[in-house]
Amino acid sequence: DHDAGSYDNFPFTLLVDTIPATNPDACASAIALAAALPVVVTHNIDGAVNDFTFTQSTGQCAVASTTTAAGPDHVYSFTPPAAGYYAVELVSDAFDGVLYIDDTCPPAFGNGCLGASNHSTGGTSGGRHEMVVAYLQAAVPYWIYVDDGSTTAITGPYALISVSDTGVGMDR
């Protein structure tokens, strides 16, 4: 039983993006994400190399599986316009995505790591999701890393989605 006023009519925003022409696989070539959120970036890990090797640590960067993310990687920079919680989600289908946020490039891990996510290759076929929610300070640059946990499957598209707690319905 649908009430047209309650369930079938709701506002939404459709975000469409194209794959950037650059290969952001080093600090110098990092793609800056727009401060106006939400942001959706689609890209392909093809052609990237292993510039950064995720080091699992305790605290914010502890992940459930043992990983060193020895595959190719991409890096993005983001400078929040306001302090608050921000969520970054990685959706990949063809590779074992590892997502982490650090306050330096190259990543320092340890105290500089604000969060990491790696569900390994146990994700369902057709979509693997990694998500990090971190409190970020205003006007401070951060780096978001999309890494491959494997050196064997080093190709494939992905989507990187960024939202803030004041933006699109993020539920911490």
Side-chain angles (χ1 to χ4, degrees), residues 6-171:
S6 300
Y7 298 104
D8 297 333
N9 296 318
F10 56 91
F12 70 95
T13 302
L14 176 64
L15 302 168
V16 179
D17 200 358
T18 59
I19 294 177
T22 60
N23 188 358
D25 71 339
C27 296
S29 60
I31 293 176
L33 298 179
L37 298 175
V39 171
V40 177
V41 175
T42 56
H43 213 302
N44 196 312
I45 204 82
D46 290 350
V49 296
N50 182 27
D51 294 299
F52 314 107
T53 300
F54 174 75
T55 303
Q56 182 173 326
S57 62
T58 59
Q60 296 295 328
C61 275
V63 293
S65 61
T66 302
T67 184
T68 57
D73 40 56
H74 281 170
V75 62
Y76 296 85
S77 64
F78 176 66
T79 303
Y85 286 95
Y86 291 82
V88 180
E89 181 178 13
L90 169 64
V91 180
S92 62
D93 185 25
F95 66 96
D96 176 18
V98 178
L99 176 67
Y100 46 101
I101 301 173
D102 203 284
D103 63 1
T104 61
C105 193
F109 304 111
N111 291 337
C113 186
L114 288 104
S117 178
N118 177 30
H119 291 102
S120 194
T121 55
T124 60
S125 176
R128 295 181 183 107
H129 296 259
E130 305 297 341
M131 179 177 272
V132 174
V133 177
Y135 187 85
L136 305 179
Q137 298 293 328
V140 174
Y142 295 94
W143 284 264
I144 300 167
Y145 298 86
V146 173
D147 212 333
D148 189 342
S150 171
T151 57
T152 57
I154 56 172
T155 183
Y158 65 86
L160 187 65
I161 304 160
S162 302
V163 297
S164 73
D165 65 349
T166 58
V168 178
M170 184 180 90
D171 184 10

